[in-house]
Amino acid sequence: MYRFPWVLLLVAAVNMAFAAEPLRPGFYSETCPPAEFIVRDVMKKAMIREPRSLASVMRLQFHDCFVNVLYKSVQFHDYFVHEFLLKPAFVLIQGCDGSLLLDDTADMVGEKQALSNINSLRSFEVVDEIKEALEDACPSTVSCADILVLAARDAVALSGGPDWEVRLGRKDSLTASQQDSDNIMPSPRADATSLINLFAQFNLSVKDLVALSGSHSIGKARCFSIMFRLYNQSGSGKPDPAIEPEFREKLNQLCPLGVDENVTGPLDATPRVFDNQFFKDLVGGRGFLNSDQTLFTYRRTRPYVRVFSKDQDEFFKAFVEGMLKMGELQVEQPGEIRTNCRVVNGRPVDVLMSY
């Protein structure tokens, strides 16, 4: 029997990728007209129950879209002729594909266990609630990847920030990888240079970096992320000199040595309102995270911080542009519309290692 060389299988996957239908506004206007209304309605209810959940859900899109691997081993199942069923192959995988939402299984450790995600990302149950409502209205129609993009937009709008039209039509991935996430997601210790280099990999500019960092206008972060800033910046045994002294005293009270490092503090002075206060705080030396404050101390990013601190409309405009660009970080891959965002279709829930 003639067998396809693996290189031809790769070429087939690449060709399939570039033939994919582009993302577009109103993707569900015919197949699920109430989709966007349903997502916003659930987000409103989540906000009433716990205001912090809006920031938590918005973060999920960032952590989903930024995981990027050129070649990744997957099981194709029925995507190719029977000769290749359940044989490993390599496809191009990139970006916003809902892989973050997959729970671990007996043969896969997913992105929830990655260093930047474990004990940090939260509010997955809000996504579950959105998915359940969409499945009731339009079964097997709206992807989990699109849910993350819609919910992130709604989190911003419901917090007082801009609203915008999103482009939809993503498929959900068939796999996830802790290692892939560990290899790409930045640390709270990251400096502006490393962040610029990371964003450049995704064709995102310095302006995009600064604007998207404004997502920290809402929400909280853990003491775990700043202990080194307070007590041992760059191995000096001293605090970060960029921290404004009175603000450092407040952080010391919140996060003393020996504290439970899961204690949280606000990322800016108005953690429930999406505004430009975040950038005003950076100018004043009151950034919570090192990776945020470095945006003002570094010469290439400082001008954008100053502009956004003075002009909220300019920040909002740049933020929307950045979100749209980030949302299109995607090369098509074999995918599906999951009916449960935590598990690939066809896999019994009871085989999951964790939920």
Side-chain angles (χ1 to χ4, degrees), residues 196-245:
I196 289 171
N197 292 337
L198 170 63
F199 273 60
Q201 293 181 42
F202 301 99
N203 200 30
L204 294 170
S205 68
V206 174
K207 183 179 180 180
D208 294 328
L209 161 63
V210 179
L212 290 173
S213 296
S215 63
H216 288 169
S217 171
I218 55 175
K220 298 181 177 181
R222 296 181 297 158
C223 287
F224 170 81
S225 300
I226 63 167
M227 296 302 286
F228 72 98
R229 286 193 78 200
L230 295 178
Y231 304 108
N232 192 29
Q233 178 78 336
S234 301
S236 65
K238 299 178 181 180
D240 179 359
I243 307 176
E244 191 271 329

Side-chain angles (χ1 to χ4, degrees), residues 27-46:
F27 184 84
Y28 298 108
S29 60
E30 295 184 3
T31 56
C32 189
E36 296 194 33
F37 172 81
I38 290 171
V39 175
R40 183 157 298 198
D41 184 59
V42 175
M43 289 294 289
K44 286 179 181 178
K45 294 175 182 176

Side-chain angles (χ1 to χ4, degrees), residues 68-338:
N68 172 60
V69 184
L70 281 181
Y71 301 103
K72 184 173 184 178
S73 179
V74 301
Q75 299 294 329
F76 270 76
H77 298 282
D78 59 346
Y79 287 98
F80 292 92
V81 294
H82 65 87
E83 183 178 0
F84 298 109
L85 291 183
L86 300 179
K87 289 187 177 182
F90 292 95
V91 296
L92 290 174
I93 292 189
Q94 183 178 22
C96 311
D97 60 4
S99 57
L100 174 69
L101 301 174
L102 288 173
D103 282 342
D104 294 352
T105 68
D107 55 3
M108 182 198 75
V109 179
E111 295 166 28
K112 292 178 181 178
Q113 300 301 314
L115 293 175
S116 61
N117 299 339
I118 192 169
N119 297 325
S120 178
L121 294 186
R122 55 196 299 279
S123 295
F124 290 102
E125 70 280 357
V126 177
V127 179
D128 294 338
E129 187 177 348
I130 293 171
K131 183 59 175 174
E132 182 177 355
L134 287 168
E135 286 298 305
D136 286 344
C138 315
S140 302
T141 302
V142 181
S143 70
C144 300
D146 278 346
I147 287 174
L148 289 182
V149 172
L150 287 165
R153 186 269 310 272
D154 292 349
V156 173
L158 292 171
S159 300
D163 204 345
W164 64 95
E165 190 172 49
V166 294
R167 301 173 188 131
L168 304 170
R170 297 164 187 81
K171 293 290 180 66
D172 296 323
S173 70
L174 304 179
T175 188
S177 169
Q178 173 189 349
Q179 182 179 359
D180 295 345
S181 183
D182 283 338
N183 287 342
I184 196 69
M185 292 305 298
S187 160
R189 302 188 182 202
D191 60 22
T193 301
S194 62
L195 291 172
I196 289 171
N197 292 337
L198 170 63
F199 273 60
Q201 293 181 42
F202 301 99
N203 200 30
L204 294 170
S205 68
V206 174
K207 183 179 180 180
D208 294 328
L209 161 63
V210 179
L212 290 173
S213 296
S215 63
H216 288 169
S217 171
I218 55 175
K220 298 181 177 181
R222 296 181 297 158
C223 287
F224 170 81
S225 300
I226 63 167
M227 296 302 286
F228 72 98
R229 286 193 78 200
L230 295 178
Y231 304 108
N232 192 29
Q233 178 78 336
S234 301
S236 65
K238 299 178 181 180
D240 179 359
I243 307 176
E244 191 271 329
E246 290 187 8
F247 184 63
R248 188 177 69 236
E249 290 181 11
K250 292 181 179 180
L251 294 181
N252 285 339
Q253 293 175 10
L254 176 71
C255 306
L257 288 171
V259 72
D260 175 358
E261 295 187 1
N262 287 317
V263 169
T264 59
L267 286 166
D268 77 352
T270 57
R272 293 187 180 182
V273 180
F274 194 96
D275 54 18
N276 67 337
Q277 183 62 46
F278 169 78
F279 297 104
K280 296 177 182 179
D281 288 348
L282 296 188
V283 173
R286 297 184 298 274
F288 191 86
L289 300 176
N290 186 78
S291 54
D292 288 339
Q293 191 61 54
T294 188
L295 298 176
F296 186 69
T297 58
Y298 188 59
R299 61 177 180 81
R300 290 184 61 190
T301 47
R302 186 185 304 122
Y304 294 111
V305 174
R306 287 196 183 278
V307 169
F308 296 155
S309 72
K310 297 175 181 178
D311 191 336
Q312 180 166 279
D313 290 340
E314 185 63 26
F315 161 49
F316 283 1
K317 178 182 177 182
F319 182 82
V320 170
E321 290 174 354
M323 289 293 283
L324 289 172
K325 289 171 69 174
M326 183 178 66
E328 294 189 355
L329 293 177
Q330 179 154 339
V331 174
E332 186 65 22
Q333 57 177 309
E336 63 183 8
I337 305 298
R338 289 186 217 136

